């Protein structure tokens, strides 16, 4: 792609919400699901995880040692470079398979593209970026589907495999488990600042590096170490995805805000007001579940709700999790223990300003 083509259109200017921040808020999704009425759980059948569980992906048992994982994800432009957008979108879509303890094997492209106004060569670059990341995961991209749409969108449908006896699900967190986060947060404020042409290129580069990093090693280690509960942190933010895990597991949690890692410049950008609509929706929705220490800085509170794209895994592991943490470090995963599962009302989260308070 020529430099003229690359810079002729800023992709982020075409998107009302960047990346996972473009998705429907949790309140709307819960209203949507409630509209289906009571649903029979998948337990007792070969469908191990389905619609009633509300997990990161569906899981179908094929036999005693193999289970099929199916998921999809797509979103509007999150960065201006089309190749990087494809890389981020692919890593994000594959992440749902890793969050279930599986490995991706096949993927299909999903693309919506303006019939006029954007060169098709840009979409080619998006798909090349996605194919590069999928290839690094050992996942073949075997086709896909496109439609004409005035707002560009891209993502993947992904098929994965797992051991049905060693799945990671959101409903297996237990009192006493430690909460381990495998990537820093703050992609939402960084890309929102980028959309307003106010982000430092170095901060954007670090965010892109994080968003294009696969959760493969974190997933492998979690399964090997015997963890049973995990989710990936995306559009609902750290606290939103934790709340889903707690509600499904019937437990509560404490989060130590001072232990949560942030991307470079994330705190400063949050303080300057570069907050996406998705993040604000998360903050509004979680008010009745989250109790935040009043001494906590406002920008940190924002980041705990920040709508992430291609975030890390949030793992609930039996304490002490020293072996799991050591294995993560050896695999180069920047994991941090950020809290713990406690007894309490299902879904309740208490955020402490520091670990000692």
């Amino acid at each position: 792609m020529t430099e003229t083509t690359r810079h002729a259109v800023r992709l982020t200017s075409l998107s009302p919400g960047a990346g996972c921040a473009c998705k429907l808020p949790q309140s709307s999704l819960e209203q949507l699901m409630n509209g289906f009425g009571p649903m029979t759980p998948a337990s007792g059948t070969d469908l191990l995880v389905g619609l009633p569980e509300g997990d990161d992906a569906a899981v179908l048992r094929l036999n005693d040692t193999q289970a099929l994982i199916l998921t999809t994800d797509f979103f509007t432009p999150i960065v201006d470079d089309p190749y990087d957008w494809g890389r981020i979108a692919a890593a994000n879509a594959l992440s749902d398979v890793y969050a279930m303890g599986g490995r991706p094997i096949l993927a299909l492209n999903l693309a919506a593209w303006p019939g006029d106004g954007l060169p098709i060569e840009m979409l080619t670059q998006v798909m090349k970026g996605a194919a590069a990341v999928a290839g690094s995961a050992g996942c073949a991209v075997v086709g896909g589907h496109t439609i004409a749409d005035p707002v560009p969108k891209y993502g993947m449908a992904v098929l994965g495999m797992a051991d049905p006896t060693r799945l990671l699900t959101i409903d297996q967190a237990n009192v006493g488990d430690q909460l381990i986060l495998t990537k820093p947060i703050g992609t939402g404020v960084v890309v929102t600042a980028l959309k307003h042409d106010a982000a430092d290129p170095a901060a954007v580069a670090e965010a892109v590096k994080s968003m294009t990093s696969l959760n493969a090693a974190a997933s492998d280690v979690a399964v090997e170490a015997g963890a049973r509960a995990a989710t990936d942190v995306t559009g609902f933010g750290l606290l939103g995805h934790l709340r889903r895990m707690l509600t499904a597991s019937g437990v509560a949690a404490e989060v130590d805000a001072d232990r949560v890692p942030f991307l470079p410049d994330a705190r400063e950008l949050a303080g300057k007001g570069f907050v996406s609509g998705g993040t604000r929706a998360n903050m509004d929705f979680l008010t009745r579940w989250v109790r935040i220490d009043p001494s906590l800085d406002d920008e940190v509170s924002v980041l705990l709700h920040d709508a992430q794209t291609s975030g890390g895994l949030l793992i609930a592991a039996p304490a002490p999790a020293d072996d799991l943490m050591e294995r993560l470090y050896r695999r180069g995963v920047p994991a941090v223990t950020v809290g713990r599962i406690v007894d309490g009302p299902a879904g309740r989260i208490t955020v402490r300003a520091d670990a000692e308070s």
Side-chain angles (χ1 to χ4, degrees), residues 293-317:
D293 187 320
S295 68
L296 190 69
D297 292 341
D298 289 345
E299 60 267 26
V300 174
S301 178
V302 167
L303 289 170
L304 295 177
H305 296 84
D306 192 42
Q308 301 300 282
T309 299
S310 192
L313 296 188
L314 180 63
I315 303 165

Side-chain angles (χ1 to χ4, degrees), residues 2 68 81 166 175 225 245 292 308 318:
T2 67
L68 199 64
D81 185 286
R166 304 177 76 188
V175 173
M245 179 187 287
I292 295 179
Q308 301 300 282

Side-chain angles (χ1 to χ4, degrees), residues 29-213:
L29 288 178
E30 293 209 351
Q31 182 179 354
L32 172 65
M33 298 309 299
N34 289 338
F36 285 93
M39 293 177 287
T40 303
S43 59
T45 72
D46 285 331
L47 184 62
L48 302 180
V49 181
L51 190 61
E53 289 80 11
D55 214 315
D56 291 300
V59 182
L60 179 70
R61 179 173 48 212
L62 301 180
N63 51 51
D64 290 343
T65 61
Q66 294 178 307
L68 199 64
I69 301 174
L70 179 62
T71 186
T72 187
D73 210 331
F74 61 96
F75 47 69
T76 52
I78 187 168
V79 291
D80 291 318
D81 185 286
Y83 188 82
D84 280 345
W85 176 25
R87 293 168 65 216
I88 294 165
N92 184 74
L94 298 175
S95 184
D96 282 345
V97 173
Y98 294 130
M100 305 299 294
R103 59 182 179 84
I105 58 173
L106 289 175
L108 294 171
N109 294 298
L110 301 173
W113 203 254
D116 299 310
L118 279 184
I120 200 67
E121 291 80 7
M122 293 182 77
L123 180 55
T124 301
Q125 289 299 311
V126 173
M127 291 187 176
K128 283 184 174 181
V133 165
S136 71
C139 178
V141 183
V142 294
H145 189 67
T146 61
I147 63 169
D149 193 319
V151 178
K153 304 171 184 71
Y154 177 76
M156 284 179 157
V158 184
L159 198 64
M161 297 294 294
D163 183 336
T165 67
R166 304 177 76 188
L167 292 173
L168 301 173
T169 59
I170 63 171
D171 62 352
Q172 294 298 309
N174 295 300
V175 173
D177 285 354
Q178 291 184 310
L179 290 170
I180 298 165
L181 180 65
T182 67
K183 284 186 185 182
I185 62 176
T187 61
V189 295
V190 174
V191 299
T192 300
L194 171 65
K195 184 176 173 63
H196 291 85
D197 202 21
D200 184 276
V204 174
E206 283 298 311
V208 170
K209 180 181 177 181
S210 178
M211 290 186 287
T212 54
S213 297

